[in-house]
Amino acid sequence: MRRFSLWLRDRPVVADLHFAIILMVLDAFGVGGEQHPIVYLAFSVVLPLPLILRRVYPRAMAAAMFVLSLLCTLVTAAQGGTTTTGHIGLLGLGVMLYTLVAYVGRRDGLIFLLCLGIDLGLSLLLLREPEGGDIVLVGAIYALCWTLAEFNGARHAYDAEVAARLAVADYDKERRAHDAVAAERTRIARELHDVVAHAVSVIIVQADGAKYALRNDPDSAERALATIAGTGRDALRELRRTVALLRTEHAPELLPQHGSAGIAKLVEMMRETGLAVDLELAGELDDIAPEVSLGVHRIVQESLTNTLRHAGASPKAVVRVHRRDDEVVVEVTDSGGVPVQPSAAPGGGMGLVGMRERVAVLGGTLSAGRLDDGRWQVRAGLPLRTDQD
């Protein structure tokens, strides 16, 4: 049953189709006491039809349902009828009200409720013997539908926010794992450089000494050659060990994105958490050095994360990444809130201290603080050329 429920959740049209068919069948059972059975059956079929696409096109289907309800009222009045409440399919009006409030918003739901009031007023004017009990029942149904929509809409909003925050957390976890791997590879490369450079230097010195001592001091030349052989073997062993560590490589498409695409993806993920973000990119950002691109991405990511945590209710941020002739300028300005203290940055992540360290490694500058108008801004300038020798 759980699998079937999840399957239906991903296919709302299928579930709503079955619901509309049930209303059609139940409505058709009331044809026995009608003076115009063909007209009654026609409305029994068409009234539930908009329910099939109610979650795909909620506004359009609500309008269609309202028009059909008005038409049903007019036809009933023209035939001398006294009430339209015999149509079970009219329960779809309450379902449409629920759909608008839960999936679109209160404003659309209120407009539709006013339209339902017009429909009810028209019924009072045109039908000769309106039943007060039916009117009270209809009002109770609409009130129940609105209340259920409020609860369900709140639950959907909460689930969506939780899902978005989990996605950001997973994304951040992947980024941090990638950064850890990159840092480890950098450390291994640095060790490899030290080992190989030391070994080659020793070999060159010993080889020069052996060349001069070869004829006059064969023993010294032999010792020099033995040192060369031992040093070469040690260097080769270290080289093989390091290369073995680096041999396993991720596929390029599996690595986290940097550049403009990575920034856009990060901003979109933060928007899904409820953070209003404006993004402004200028200049070519996809051909800069990987370490600079990663630094830009991490500064934007950490700044937006701090905005989400500390900028209070309805946080907003503006991200500007501009490439100039010799540097990339990153500015992240938010709507203010509680300033972030470097020593109190939660989560054990980069924080402001981590950003300063990263910018310092890249030879750039970083400033973070509150502006005169109360907003909080992080501004970094990263040189396009880095000295990694």
Side-chain angles (χ1 to χ4, degrees):
M1 290 301 296
R2 176 173 176 80
R3 290 183 179 179
F4 180 70
S5 176
L6 293 176
W7 184 82
L8 283 181
R9 184 181 302 175
D10 295 334
R11 296 165 179 82
V13 175
V14 176
D16 292 334
L17 174 62
H18 286 80
F19 179 62
I21 292 175
I22 292 174
L23 287 183
M24 291 179 188
V25 173
L26 293 176
D27 202 350
F29 284 154
V31 71
E34 295 294 326
Q35 296 179 353
H36 305 278
I38 295 179
V39 176
Y40 183 90
L41 288 176
F43 277 108
S44 297
V45 173
V46 299
L47 281 175
L49 287 180
L51 296 177
I52 299 175
L53 299 177
R54 68 183 181 92
R55 282 184 279 184
V56 181
Y57 307 105
R59 293 186 178 93
M61 293 302 101
M65 193 76 189
F66 173 65
V67 171
L68 289 175
S69 176
L70 286 179
L71 184 61
C72 183
T73 301
L74 294 175
V75 171
T76 302
Q79 293 176 345
T82 61
T83 179
T84 61
T85 55
H87 280 289
I88 298 179
L90 290 175
L91 290 174
L93 292 172
V95 176
M96 281 298 180
L97 177 63
Y98 165 86
T99 302
L100 288 175
V101 176
Y103 294 97
V104 181
R106 295 189 184 95
R107 179 176 177 272
D108 294 84
L110 183 58
I111 294 174
F112 187 68
L113 187 61
L114 294 176
C115 293
L116 295 180
I118 295 174
D119 184 26
L120 186 58
L122 187 63
S123 299
L124 292 174
L125 291 176
L126 297 181
L127 301 180
R128 291 175 299 179
E129 298 179 4
E131 299 179 7
D134 291 338
I135 296 176
V136 173
L137 177 60
V138 170
I141 291 175
Y142 291 162
L144 177 62
C145 290
W146 186 290
T147 303
L148 291 177
E150 288 287 349
F151 282 105
N152 198 35
R155 183 176 63 85
H156 285 167
Y158 175 77
D159 292 343
E161 182 178 356
V162 170
R165 289 181 179 272
L166 287 176
V168 171
D170 291 340
Y171 184 74
D172 185 66
K173 181 179 178 181
E174 292 178 3
R175 282 290 188 181
R176 294 180 188 278
H178 175 67
D179 290 348
V181 172
E184 180 64 14
R185 290 184 175 178
T186 301
R187 185 186 67 82
I188 294 174
R190 188 178 298 113
E191 292 180 358
L192 175 62
H193 177 272
D194 293 341
V195 169
V196 173
H198 171 73
V200 172
S201 299
V202 171
I203 289 173
I204 291 174
V205 172
Q206 294 295 325
D208 288 339
K211 182 178 65 174
Y212 289 110
L214 183 60
R215 296 181 180 178
N216 300 327
D217 192 354
D219 293 337
S220 298
E222 184 179 358
R223 289 194 299 271
L225 292 175
T227 301
I228 291 173
T231 303
R233 291 190 186 95
D234 292 340
L236 182 59
R237 183 168 56 254
E238 290 294 325
L239 178 62
R240 287 175 175 172
R241 181 184 66 84
T242 305
V243 170
L245 292 175
L246 298 176
R247 190 174 296 277
T248 302
E249 180 64 73
H250 294 287
E253 63 272 12
L254 298 180
L255 290 175
Q257 282 185 316
H258 301 307
S260 58
I263 297 174
K265 179 180 178 181
L266 172 62
V267 168
E268 184 61 28
M269 293 186 65
M270 298 304 292
R271 285 171 179 166
E272 292 178 359
T273 67
L275 176 62
V277 184
D278 292 333
L279 177 61
E280 179 181 322
L281 303 177
E284 181 58 51
L285 301 174
D286 295 328
D287 62 348
I288 60 180
E291 59 272 14
V292 177
S293 180
L294 176 60
V296 171
H297 185 97
R298 296 300 287 167
I299 291 171
V300 173
Q301 182 184 29
E302 188 66 23
S303 299
L304 292 181
T305 301
N306 287 337
T307 298
L308 188 64
R309 292 172 179 169
H310 304 283
S314 301
K316 298 180 181 179
V318 178
V319 178
R320 296 185 178 91
V321 182
H322 293 179
R323 175 174 177 173
R324 299 178 179 176
D325 294 336
D326 57 350
E327 68 174 355
V328 177
V329 178
V330 183
E331 288 184 0
V332 182
T333 307
D334 63 34
S335 52
V338 181
V340 182
Q341 300 298 330
S343 60
M350 281 178 54
L352 291 178
V353 173
M355 283 193 286
R356 294 186 193 279
E357 292 175 352
R358 183 181 292 275
V359 171
V361 169
L362 296 175
T365 58
L366 177 73
S367 62
R370 193 172 296 278
L371 303 178
D372 294 336
D373 57 1
R375 295 180 300 165
W376 185 269
Q377 183 183 75
V378 175
R379 188 180 190 279
L382 304 179
L384 292 175
R385 294 184 180 180
T386 59
D387 185 9
Q388 301 294 334
D389 296 336

